[in-house]
Amino acid sequence: MNQQYPSALLQKAIDEFAKLPGVGRKTALRLVLHLLRQDTETVQAFADAVLHLRQEVKYCKVCHNISDSDICEICANPSRDTSRICVVESIRDVMAVEATQQFRGLYHVLGGIISPMDGIGPSDLQIDSLVERVKKGGIDEVILALSTTMEGDTTNFYIYRKLEGLDVKLSVIARGISVGDELEYADEITLGRSILNRTPFDGRL
Amino acid sequence: MNQQYPSALLQKAIDEFAKLPGVGRKTALRLVLHLLRQDTETVQAFADAVLHLRQEVKYCKVCHNISDSDICEICANPSRDTSRICVVESIRDVMAVEATQQFRGLYHVLGGIISPMDGIGPSDLQIDSLVERVKKGGIDEVILALSTTMEGDTTNFYIYRKLEGLDVKLSVIARGISVGDELEYADEITLGRSILNRTPFDGRL
């Protein structure tokens, strides 16, 4: 539907929704008409939640994760293992790793990965503050959990060079066949890596 | 990802987005993190657009279409054919019919269709005001452009009974094979209707 909207207010709201990623004009119209059917209070609550988040959100001074206070809940949690840092690209990746319940250490959110194509260099990322954290001591292991892409690999290598010579173990997350995947559909590089990086098997997985 | 979010503000914003139709928690997170990366002004504009729409929107006193003033642009347009009224379920359907550029008359937005399952009866819809418009005179034809569902048919019949005896031609939009469809995939009822309601053919479509 490529037409004039019957109201400038409607037009404006649709324009705003259509700026969101993955939201086209048809979806924007559907969402806006949904909000239009709600109470004013409901719509007010929606607008307030968005605005308050943007205006009041904080980032953890230690790991740069999103937080309601200066130090995030994970960094402030005394039951976490403070000797391990998992380096991730974004807040979303913190949530993804947390959801696995396989990691009890702390995080370090880079805020992106090195990507010359997008004009993102090392100085745009929280790499220096990672080096500072390691230099302060008490860190046994830094686990690099970045995307397994060219950009991720570049960032992994850059961090490796930055931490070289410091007394810390560096590791990357395993690359291999996704759980539940059939071998014949796996790409050659992944399959090759999964054979090179095979793990000892004692009858249990 | 069925986990705690690292920030109550984030949680609240995700909750609000996830209330929108067709938006799950993963999509809500993606949209919220997108907004978080924007300027405060951009987010303010987004929240304002939504709020202003809900607070300031008006509905046309004649046809109940969404409007910025008491009479909508279509009803106020002197070049429209005021002798024909197209009855539709929603504002969206006005936009859909307008997009076809095949109708130059006026509209009447019912605000829904009769649906006992959803507790929507004739008194919840703008049917009385449609009858009033016809009774005032000057209307030659009322075109029923409702969904071709059980509920649409019920509403069509209810309106037919309400307008019975008034000096107005009543018509419904054609039911038939969608343009571009292959006959073998058409359902029997639609195909049957398309044969019964065949139109004279003079070599042109």
Side-chain angles (χ1 to χ4, degrees):
Chain A
M1 287 189 276
N2 184 23
Q3 80 286 2
Q4 284 276 313
Y5 297 100
S7 149
L9 290 164
L10 182 70
Q11 169 94 52
K12 179 83 186 111
I14 291 169
D15 288 348
E16 288 294 336
F17 264 98
K19 286 179 191 166
L20 297 175
V23 178
R25 299 198 69 81
K26 277 202 171 184
T27 303
L29 174 61
R30 188 160 50 84
L31 299 179
V32 167
L33 290 181
H34 169 86
L35 284 172
L36 205 49
R37 283 194 299 270
Q38 312 305 310
D39 298 342
T40 313
E41 293 75 47
T42 308
V43 177
Q44 182 84 55
F46 175 84
D48 283 351
V50 170
L51 211 51
H52 287 168
L53 173 68
R54 183 61 189 83
Q55 289 171 340
E56 294 163 30
V57 76
K58 288 181 181 163
Y59 294 93
C60 175
K61 291 197 169 158
V62 179
C63 74
H64 314 292
N65 189 14
I66 196 172
S67 174
D68 288 338
S69 46
D70 284 347
I71 305 293
C72 78
E73 286 175 17
I74 294 171
C75 286
N77 184 342
S79 73
R80 306 283 303 207
D81 175 1
T82 58
S83 70
R84 271 166 239 283
I85 295 177
C86 179
V87 177
V88 292
E89 184 180 336
S90 70
I91 297 159
R92 253 169 115 169
D93 295 338
V94 172
M95 289 190 251
V97 176
E98 280 296 282
T100 69
Q101 303 192 331
Q102 296 297 324
F103 181 68
R104 296 296 303 160
L106 305 181
Y107 291 91
H108 193 88
V109 180
L110 294 180
I113 44 178
I114 297 172
S115 173
M117 289 280 283
D118 300 315
I120 303 174
S123 60
D124 299 313
L125 307 176
Q126 297 289 354
I127 294 177
D128 287 345
S129 64
L130 172 66
V131 176
E132 287 307 310
R133 280 179 81 180
V134 174
K135 277 185 179 165
K136 269 186 193 161
I139 312 293
D140 295 334
E141 184 179 10
V142 170
I143 301 163
L144 299 170
L146 302 181
S147 298
T148 57
T149 58
M150 177 87 85
E151 289 80 11
D153 289 346
T154 304
T155 312
N156 282 335
F157 186 69
Y158 185 87
I159 294 174
Y160 162 76
R161 292 294 297 271
K162 278 284 185 181
L163 295 181
E164 229 179 348
L166 294 176
D167 182 25
V168 67
K169 201 175 127 195
L170 202 62
S171 57
V172 293
I173 50 170
R175 289 155 193 221
I177 308 297
S178 291
V179 178
D181 266 13
E182 289 180 52
L183 224 61
E184 62 176 309
Y185 301 119
D187 70 281
E188 292 163 25
I189 296 173
T190 301
L191 186 53
R193 282 299 277 268
S194 77
I195 291 169
L196 282 175
N197 299 341
R198 62 195 178 276
T199 51
F201 181 55
D202 64 354
R204 288 178 303 170
L205 280 173
Chain B
M1 285 189 278
N2 184 23
Q3 79 286 2
Q4 285 276 314
Y5 296 100
S7 149
L9 290 163
L10 183 70
Q11 169 93 51
K12 179 82 185 109
I14 291 169
D15 287 348
E16 289 294 335
F17 263 97
K19 287 179 191 166
L20 297 175
V23 177
R25 300 199 69 79
K26 275 201 172 184
T27 303
L29 174 61
R30 187 160 51 84
L31 298 180
V32 167
L33 290 181
H34 169 85
L35 285 171
L36 204 50
R37 283 193 298 270
Q38 311 305 309
D39 299 342
T40 312
E41 293 75 45
T42 308
V43 177
Q44 181 86 54
F46 176 84
D48 283 351
V50 170
L51 210 52
H52 287 168
L53 173 68
R54 182 63 191 82
Q55 289 171 339
E56 293 163 30
V57 78
K58 288 180 182 164
Y59 294 93
C60 176
K61 291 199 168 154
V62 178
C63 74
H64 314 292
N65 189 14
I66 196 172
S67 174
D68 288 339
S69 47
D70 284 346
I71 306 293
C72 77
E73 285 176 17
I74 295 171
C75 287
N77 185 343
S79 73
R80 306 282 305 207
D81 174 1
T82 59
S83 70
R84 272 166 236 283
I85 295 179
C86 180
V87 177
V88 292
E89 182 181 336
S90 70
I91 296 159
R92 251 169 117 170
D93 295 339
V94 172
M95 288 190 252
V97 176
E98 280 295 283
T100 69
Q101 303 192 331
Q102 296 297 323
F103 181 69
R104 295 297 302 161
L106 305 181
Y107 291 91
H108 193 88
V109 181
L110 295 179
I113 44 179
I114 298 172
S115 174
M117 290 279 283
D118 301 315
I120 303 174
S123 60
D124 299 314
L125 306 177
Q126 297 289 355
I127 294 178
D128 287 345
S129 64
L130 172 66
V131 177
E132 287 308 309
R133 280 179 81 180
V134 175
K135 278 185 178 164
K136 269 187 193 161
I139 311 294
D140 295 333
E141 184 180 10
V142 170
I143 300 163
L144 300 170
L146 303 180
S147 298
T148 57
T149 58
M150 177 86 86
E151 289 79 12
D153 288 347
T154 305
T155 313
N156 282 336
F157 187 70
Y158 185 88
I159 293 173
Y160 163 76
R161 292 294 297 270
K162 280 282 185 181
L163 295 181
E164 230 178 351
L166 295 176
D167 182 25
V168 68
K169 201 176 126 194
L170 202 61
S171 56
V172 294
I173 51 169
R175 289 155 193 222
I177 308 297
S178 291
V179 177
D181 266 13
E182 289 181 51
L183 224 62
E184 62 176 310
Y185 301 119
D187 69 283
E188 292 163 26
I189 297 174
T190 301
L191 186 53
R193 282 299 277 268
S194 77
I195 292 168
L196 282 175
N197 299 340
R198 61 196 177 277
T199 49
F201 182 54
D202 63 353
R204 287 178 303 169
L205 279 172

